[in-house]
Amino acid sequence: MRKWIGIAAGVGLALGVAGQAVAAQPSEQQVRQLFEVMHMSQMFSQMNSQMAGVMGQAVPCVPASYWQGFIDANGSQELLGRMVPIYQSHFTADDVAGLLKFYQSPLGQKVITQMPLTMAEGMKVGQQWGRERGQAMIQQLQQKGTLDAQGRCPASPAASAPKPVSKSGH
């Protein structure tokens, strides 16, 4: 009996070690290579330009050009460095190797170039849908009397009743 337990433990240990080898963490170099293939620095630059425009409108007394340097080359490298451990914790070395193979392919490169555009278009569609859906739901609530014509909660009897004055005069 002990012999079988020992063999079972040995097989379990061997399988566990093999499983750990398959799920090895990607190296920093491997993750950084993925970032390069995915053009992450260029994405940061595009995000920076968009942010500069938004901040220029939000804070009109500061020129938009001021915000353009928010994610400069050093900032981009710092941000990528902070992202490496995140990728290492969510992807195995084999995952990153597969992603590298995909993103180096023509289809992967198309995904990289087209994804920002499709996401932006999808966000516009989602915002429009959200406005339409919200308006329809508000109309339903107005028809039921849950909301008034201005889309607010009708005054409850307790809210419209005068508040009693305390005896202390406050």
Side-chain angles (χ1 to χ4, degrees):
M1 181 73 164
R2 283 187 173 178
K3 182 178 175 181
W4 289 112
I5 292 173
I7 291 172
V11 170
L13 182 60
L15 290 174
V17 170
Q20 288 176 352
V22 172
Q25 184 181 57
S27 68
E28 180 175 349
Q29 180 183 359
Q30 192 182 21
V31 172
R32 285 187 179 275
Q33 184 182 5
L34 178 62
F35 291 165
E36 188 175 314
V37 169
M38 292 174 65
H39 308 290
M40 293 284 273
S41 291
Q42 292 89 332
M43 283 190 235
F44 291 160
S45 179
Q46 290 171 347
M47 287 180 355
N48 190 64
S49 294
Q50 292 171 352
M51 189 204 66
V54 169
M55 292 304 293
Q57 291 174 356
V59 188
C61 62
V62 178
S65 60
Y66 175 80
W67 302 106
Q68 195 63 41
F70 185 78
I71 305 178
D72 59 9
N74 290 336
S76 179
Q77 288 308 308
E78 181 183 341
L79 185 53
L80 288 172
R82 291 181 182 202
M83 291 175 65
V84 167
I86 296 168
Y87 276 68
Q88 289 175 317
S89 71
H90 290 278
F91 297 101
T92 66
D94 286 344
D95 293 339
V96 173
L99 288 169
L100 281 166
K101 185 176 179 179
F102 171 71
Y103 283 121
Q104 289 169 333
S105 74
L107 177 58
Q109 288 298 299
K110 183 174 182 176
V111 167
I112 289 168
T113 60
Q114 297 302 307
M115 194 56 68
L117 301 170
T118 56
M119 294 299 290
E121 289 176 30
M123 283 179 51
K124 286 180 185 176
V125 167
Q127 289 171 346
Q128 178 64 33
W129 176 85
R131 280 191 295 272
E132 292 168 4
R133 180 74 175 128
Q135 289 171 353
M137 293 179 79
I138 287 172
Q139 286 176 347
Q140 288 175 348
L141 292 169
Q142 288 171 329
Q143 289 171 353
K144 291 179 181 179
T146 305
L147 297 177
D148 65 17
Q150 289 74 39
R152 295 183 300 229
C153 293
S156 65
S160 61
K163 293 186 179 184
V165 178
S166 68
K167 292 182 181 180
S168 63
H170 294 273

mmCIF file of all heavy atoms in Angstrom, residues 100-129:
data_model
loop_
_atom_site.group_PDB
_atom_site.id
_atom_site.type_symbol
_atom_site.label_atom_id
_atom_site.label_comp_id
_atom_site.label_asym_id
_atom_site.label_seq_id
_atom_site.Cartn_x
_atom_site.Cartn_y
_atom_site.Cartn_z
ATOM 1 N N LEU A 100 2.602 37.259 -29.462
ATOM 2 C CA LEU A 100 3.636 37.785 -30.355
ATOM 3 C C LEU A 100 3.463 37.236 -31.768
ATOM 4 O O LEU A 100 3.527 37.982 -32.750
ATOM 5 C CB LEU A 100 5.029 37.437 -29.826
ATOM 6 C CG LEU A 100 5.537 38.321 -28.701
ATOM 7 C CD1 LEU A 100 6.748 37.687 -28.015
ATOM 8 C CD2 LEU A 100 5.883 39.702 -29.228
ATOM 9 N N LYS A 101 3.225 35.949 -31.864
ATOM 10 C CA LYS A 101 3.030 35.325 -33.177
ATOM 11 C C LYS A 101 1.820 35.947 -33.875
ATOM 12 O O LYS A 101 1.870 36.274 -35.065
ATOM 13 C CB LYS A 101 2.850 33.813 -33.010
ATOM 14 C CG LYS A 101 2.754 33.052 -34.309
ATOM 15 C CD LYS A 101 2.670 31.551 -34.056
ATOM 16 C CE LYS A 101 2.558 30.809 -35.384
ATOM 17 N NZ LYS A 101 2.489 29.358 -35.179
ATOM 18 N N PHE A 102 0.730 36.114 -33.114
ATOM 19 C CA PHE A 102 -0.479 36.698 -33.710
ATOM 20 C C PHE A 102 -0.235 38.142 -34.144
ATOM 21 O O PHE A 102 -0.526 38.508 -35.279
ATOM 22 C CB PHE A 102 -1.650 36.646 -32.720
ATOM 23 C CG PHE A 102 -2.845 37.424 -33.201
ATOM 24 C CD1 PHE A 102 -3.609 36.958 -34.262
ATOM 25 C CD2 PHE A 102 -3.186 38.629 -32.608
ATOM 26 C CE1 PHE A 102 -4.702 37.683 -34.728
ATOM 27 C CE2 PHE A 102 -4.277 39.358 -33.065
ATOM 28 C CZ PHE A 102 -5.035 38.883 -34.123
ATOM 29 N N TYR A 103 0.287 38.975 -33.240
ATOM 30 C CA TYR A 103 0.439 40.390 -33.559
ATOM 31 C C TYR A 103 1.510 40.648 -34.617
ATOM 32 O O TYR A 103 1.514 41.709 -35.237
ATOM 33 C CB TYR A 103 0.703 41.213 -32.294
ATOM 34 C CG TYR A 103 -0.561 41.428 -31.493
ATOM 35 C CD1 TYR A 103 -0.655 40.996 -30.178
ATOM 36 C CD2 TYR A 103 -1.667 42.068 -32.056
ATOM 37 C CE1 TYR A 103 -1.815 41.199 -29.447
ATOM 38 C CE2 TYR A 103 -2.825 42.255 -31.330
ATOM 39 C CZ TYR A 103 -2.894 41.820 -30.028
ATOM 40 O OH TYR A 103 -4.049 42.011 -29.309
ATOM 41 N N GLN A 104 2.394 39.694 -34.843
ATOM 42 C CA GLN A 104 3.367 39.838 -35.912
ATOM 43 C C GLN A 104 2.792 39.407 -37.259
ATOM 44 O O GLN A 104 3.370 39.708 -38.289
ATOM 45 C CB GLN A 104 4.641 39.040 -35.586
ATOM 46 C CG GLN A 104 5.435 39.668 -34.473
ATOM 47 C CD GLN A 104 6.551 38.771 -33.947
ATOM 48 O OE1 GLN A 104 6.485 37.555 -34.026
ATOM 49 N NE2 GLN A 104 7.581 39.395 -33.382
ATOM 50 N N SER A 105 1.647 38.747 -37.234
ATOM 51 C CA SER A 105 1.007 38.299 -38.477
ATOM 52 C C SER A 105 0.286 39.482 -39.134
ATOM 53 O O SER A 105 0.009 40.498 -38.486
ATOM 54 C CB SER A 105 -0.009 37.196 -38.176
ATOM 55 O OG SER A 105 -1.177 37.735 -37.564
ATOM 56 N N PRO A 106 -0.023 39.361 -40.429
ATOM 57 C CA PRO A 106 -0.775 40.432 -41.093
ATOM 58 C C PRO A 106 -2.116 40.733 -40.402
ATOM 59 O O PRO A 106 -2.485 41.893 -40.235
ATOM 60 C CB PRO A 106 -0.982 39.895 -42.509
ATOM 61 C CG PRO A 106 0.179 38.964 -42.727
ATOM 62 C CD PRO A 106 0.414 38.332 -41.376
ATOM 63 N N LEU A 107 -2.824 39.695 -39.971
ATOM 64 C CA LEU A 107 -4.091 39.923 -39.274
ATOM 65 C C LEU A 107 -3.861 40.643 -37.956
ATOM 66 O O LEU A 107 -4.602 41.575 -37.605
ATOM 67 C CB LEU A 107 -4.832 38.604 -39.038
ATOM 68 C CG LEU A 107 -6.144 38.718 -38.254
ATOM 69 C CD1 LEU A 107 -7.128 39.667 -38.951
ATOM 70 C CD2 LEU A 107 -6.756 37.353 -38.038
ATOM 71 N N GLY A 108 -2.848 40.241 -37.221
ATOM 72 C CA GLY A 108 -2.539 40.911 -35.955
ATOM 73 C C GLY A 108 -2.212 42.372 -36.157
ATOM 74 O O GLY A 108 -2.653 43.229 -35.388
ATOM 75 N N GLN A 109 -1.441 42.685 -37.199
ATOM 76 C CA GLN A 109 -1.118 44.081 -37.493
ATOM 77 C C GLN A 109 -2.373 44.858 -37.886
ATOM 78 O O GLN A 109 -2.536 46.019 -37.520
ATOM 79 C CB GLN A 109 -0.054 44.165 -38.595
ATOM 80 C CG GLN A 109 1.333 43.747 -38.111
ATOM 81 C CD GLN A 109 1.855 44.653 -37.014
ATOM 82 O OE1 GLN A 109 2.031 45.847 -37.204
ATOM 83 N NE2 GLN A 109 2.090 44.082 -35.832
ATOM 84 N N LYS A 110 -3.284 44.204 -38.585
ATOM 85 C CA LYS A 110 -4.548 44.870 -38.938
ATOM 86 C C LYS A 110 -5.365 45.154 -37.675
ATOM 87 O O LYS A 110 -5.945 46.233 -37.537
ATOM 88 C CB LYS A 110 -5.365 44.004 -39.906
ATOM 89 C CG LYS A 110 -6.645 44.681 -40.350
ATOM 90 C CD LYS A 110 -7.383 43.899 -41.402
ATOM 91 C CE LYS A 110 -8.623 44.676 -41.833
ATOM 92 N NZ LYS A 110 -9.332 44.015 -42.927
ATOM 93 N N VAL A 111 -5.392 44.199 -36.757
ATOM 94 C CA VAL A 111 -6.107 44.409 -35.499
ATOM 95 C C VAL A 111 -5.529 45.621 -34.774
ATOM 96 O O VAL A 111 -6.273 46.480 -34.282
ATOM 97 C CB VAL A 111 -6.049 43.143 -34.602
ATOM 98 C CG1 VAL A 111 -6.508 43.451 -33.188
ATOM 99 C CG2 VAL A 111 -6.889 42.033 -35.203
ATOM 100 N N ILE A 112 -4.202 45.727 -34.739
ATOM 101 C CA ILE A 112 -3.549 46.847 -34.053
ATOM 102 C C ILE A 112 -3.945 48.179 -34.682
ATOM 103 O O ILE A 112 -4.238 49.146 -33.980
ATOM 104 C CB ILE A 112 -2.021 46.671 -34.056
ATOM 105 C CG1 ILE A 112 -1.630 45.530 -33.120
ATOM 106 C CG2 ILE A 112 -1.321 47.967 -33.646
ATOM 107 C CD1 ILE A 112 -0.187 45.079 -33.261
ATOM 108 N N THR A 113 -3.965 48.239 -36.009
ATOM 109 C CA THR A 113 -4.267 49.518 -36.669
ATOM 110 C C THR A 113 -5.761 49.830 -36.679
ATOM 111 O O THR A 113 -6.144 50.992 -36.619
ATOM 112 C CB THR A 113 -3.732 49.550 -38.118
ATOM 113 O OG1 THR A 113 -4.329 48.492 -38.872
ATOM 114 C CG2 THR A 113 -2.222 49.425 -38.135
ATOM 115 N N GLN A 114 -6.597 48.813 -36.737
ATOM 116 C CA GLN A 114 -8.036 49.047 -36.854
ATOM 117 C C GLN A 114 -8.767 49.102 -35.515
ATOM 118 O O GLN A 114 -9.847 49.685 -35.423
ATOM 119 C CB GLN A 114 -8.680 47.970 -37.749
ATOM 120 C CG GLN A 114 -8.182 47.989 -39.176
ATOM 121 C CD GLN A 114 -8.413 49.323 -39.856
ATOM 122 O OE1 GLN A 114 -9.528 49.836 -39.881
ATOM 123 N NE2 GLN A 114 -7.355 49.902 -40.415
ATOM 124 N N MET A 115 -8.206 48.502 -34.477
ATOM 125 C CA MET A 115 -8.906 48.445 -33.194
ATOM 126 C C MET A 115 -9.207 49.822 -32.604
ATOM 127 O O MET A 115 -10.330 50.046 -32.141
ATOM 128 C CB MET A 115 -8.142 47.573 -32.196
ATOM 129 C CG MET A 115 -8.966 47.208 -30.975
ATOM 130 S SD MET A 115 -10.544 46.383 -31.334
ATOM 131 C CE MET A 115 -9.994 44.822 -31.968
ATOM 132 N N PRO A 116 -8.275 50.767 -32.626
ATOM 133 C CA PRO A 116 -8.630 52.085 -32.083
ATOM 134 C C PRO A 116 -9.807 52.729 -32.833
ATOM 135 O O PRO A 116 -10.683 53.344 -32.211
ATOM 136 C CB PRO A 116 -7.358 52.916 -32.257
ATOM 137 C CG PRO A 116 -6.257 51.916 -32.330
ATOM 138 C CD PRO A 116 -6.853 50.705 -32.987
ATOM 139 N N LEU A 117 -9.835 52.558 -34.139
ATOM 140 C CA LEU A 117 -10.935 53.123 -34.929
ATOM 141 C C LEU A 117 -12.244 52.412 -34.629
ATOM 142 O O LEU A 117 -13.289 53.059 -34.457
ATOM 143 C CB LEU A 117 -10.617 53.015 -36.428
ATOM 144 C CG LEU A 117 -9.337 53.711 -36.888
ATOM 145 C CD1 LEU A 117 -9.000 53.338 -38.328
ATOM 146 C CD2 LEU A 117 -9.467 55.207 -36.730
ATOM 147 N N THR A 118 -12.212 51.081 -34.567
ATOM 148 C CA THR A 118 -13.449 50.350 -34.301
ATOM 149 C C THR A 118 -13.947 50.616 -32.881
ATOM 150 O O THR A 118 -15.162 50.720 -32.666
ATOM 151 C CB THR A 118 -13.279 48.830 -34.524
ATOM 152 O OG1 THR A 118 -12.208 48.348 -33.722
ATOM 153 C CG2 THR A 118 -13.002 48.511 -35.975
ATOM 154 N N MET A 119 -13.025 50.763 -31.938
ATOM 155 C CA MET A 119 -13.435 51.074 -30.564
ATOM 156 C C MET A 119 -14.052 52.468 -30.491
ATOM 157 O O MET A 119 -15.062 52.664 -29.813
ATOM 158 C CB MET A 119 -12.252 50.958 -29.604
ATOM 159 C CG MET A 119 -11.717 49.544 -29.442
ATOM 160 S SD MET A 119 -12.929 48.389 -28.791
ATOM 161 C CE MET A 119 -13.078 48.974 -27.123
ATOM 162 N N ALA A 120 -13.461 53.445 -31.188
ATOM 163 C CA ALA A 120 -14.007 54.807 -31.179
ATOM 164 C C ALA A 120 -15.399 54.822 -31.795
ATOM 165 O O ALA A 120 -16.318 55.443 -31.267
ATOM 166 C CB ALA A 120 -13.063 55.753 -31.928
ATOM 167 N N GLU A 121 -15.558 54.134 -32.930
ATOM 168 C CA GLU A 121 -16.874 54.070 -33.570
ATOM 169 C C GLU A 121 -17.871 53.335 -32.679
ATOM 170 O O GLU A 121 -19.031 53.738 -32.570
ATOM 171 C CB GLU A 121 -16.766 53.386 -34.930
ATOM 172 C CG GLU A 121 -16.048 54.227 -35.969
ATOM 173 C CD GLU A 121 -15.861 53.509 -37.300
ATOM 174 O OE1 GLU A 121 -16.703 52.647 -37.650
ATOM 175 O OE2 GLU A 121 -14.869 53.811 -37.993
ATOM 176 N N GLY A 122 -17.403 52.264 -32.039
ATOM 177 C CA GLY A 122 -18.272 51.513 -31.131
ATOM 178 C C GLY A 122 -18.705 52.350 -29.939
ATOM 179 O O GLY A 122 -19.848 52.261 -29.484
ATOM 180 N N MET A 123 -17.798 53.193 -29.433
ATOM 181 C CA MET A 123 -18.153 54.071 -28.308
ATOM 182 C C MET A 123 -19.225 55.068 -28.729
ATOM 183 O O MET A 123 -20.164 55.329 -27.973
ATOM 184 C CB MET A 123 -16.915 54.795 -27.790
ATOM 185 C CG MET A 123 -16.027 53.925 -26.943
ATOM 186 S SD MET A 123 -14.526 54.739 -26.339
ATOM 187 C CE MET A 123 -15.155 56.220 -25.606
ATOM 188 N N LYS A 124 -19.114 55.623 -29.932
ATOM 189 C CA LYS A 124 -20.134 56.564 -30.419
ATOM 190 C C LYS A 124 -21.485 55.872 -30.525
ATOM 191 O O LYS A 124 -22.504 56.419 -30.112
ATOM 192 C CB LYS A 124 -19.725 57.146 -31.770
ATOM 193 C CG LYS A 124 -18.624 58.163 -31.687
ATOM 194 C CD LYS A 124 -18.276 58.702 -33.065
ATOM 195 C CE LYS A 124 -17.091 59.637 -33.004
ATOM 196 N NZ LYS A 124 -16.684 60.097 -34.342
ATOM 197 N N VAL A 125 -21.490 54.675 -31.099
ATOM 198 C CA VAL A 125 -22.736 53.917 -31.228
ATOM 199 C C VAL A 125 -23.302 53.607 -29.844
ATOM 200 O O VAL A 125 -24.502 53.752 -29.603
ATOM 201 C CB VAL A 125 -22.497 52.615 -32.044
ATOM 202 C CG1 VAL A 125 -23.669 51.659 -31.931
ATOM 203 C CG2 VAL A 125 -22.218 52.946 -33.499
ATOM 204 N N GLY A 126 -22.429 53.209 -28.923
ATOM 205 C CA GLY A 126 -22.875 52.896 -27.559
ATOM 206 C C GLY A 126 -23.437 54.111 -26.840
ATOM 207 O O GLY A 126 -24.440 54.010 -26.135
ATOM 208 N N GLN A 127 -22.809 55.274 -27.026
ATOM 209 C CA GLN A 127 -23.314 56.497 -26.405
ATOM 210 C C GLN A 127 -24.677 56.867 -26.969
ATOM 211 O O GLN A 127 -25.596 57.216 -26.223
ATOM 212 C CB GLN A 127 -22.316 57.642 -26.606
ATOM 213 C CG GLN A 127 -21.059 57.485 -25.794
ATOM 214 C CD GLN A 127 -19.992 58.504 -26.181
ATOM 215 O OE1 GLN A 127 -20.068 59.173 -27.207
ATOM 216 N NE2 GLN A 127 -18.957 58.607 -25.352
ATOM 217 N N GLN A 128 -24.816 56.782 -28.300
ATOM 218 C CA GLN A 128 -26.104 57.101 -28.933
ATOM 219 C C GLN A 128 -27.175 56.137 -28.449
ATOM 220 O O GLN A 128 -28.281 56.543 -28.092
ATOM 221 C CB GLN A 128 -25.982 57.048 -30.460
ATOM 222 C CG GLN A 128 -27.281 57.318 -31.189
ATOM 223 C CD GLN A 128 -27.817 58.717 -30.961
ATOM 224 O OE1 GLN A 128 -27.055 59.660 -30.801
ATOM 225 N NE2 GLN A 128 -29.130 58.859 -30.938
ATOM 226 N N TRP A 129 -26.852 54.842 -28.423
ATOM 227 C CA TRP A 129 -27.798 53.841 -27.953
ATOM 228 C C TRP A 129 -28.185 54.124 -26.507
ATOM 229 O O TRP A 129 -29.353 54.051 -26.140
ATOM 230 C CB TRP A 129 -27.191 52.440 -28.086
ATOM 231 C CG TRP A 129 -28.088 51.374 -27.523
ATOM 232 C CD1 TRP A 129 -29.105 50.738 -28.153
ATOM 233 C CD2 TRP A 129 -28.042 50.842 -26.194
ATOM 234 N NE1 TRP A 129 -29.692 49.829 -27.304
ATOM 235 C CE2 TRP A 129 -29.061 49.871 -26.097
ATOM 236 C CE3 TRP A 129 -27.234 51.068 -25.085
ATOM 237 C CZ2 TRP A 129 -29.294 49.145 -24.932
ATOM 238 C CZ3 TRP A 129 -27.468 50.343 -23.923
ATOM 239 C CH2 TRP A 129 -28.493 49.393 -23.859
#
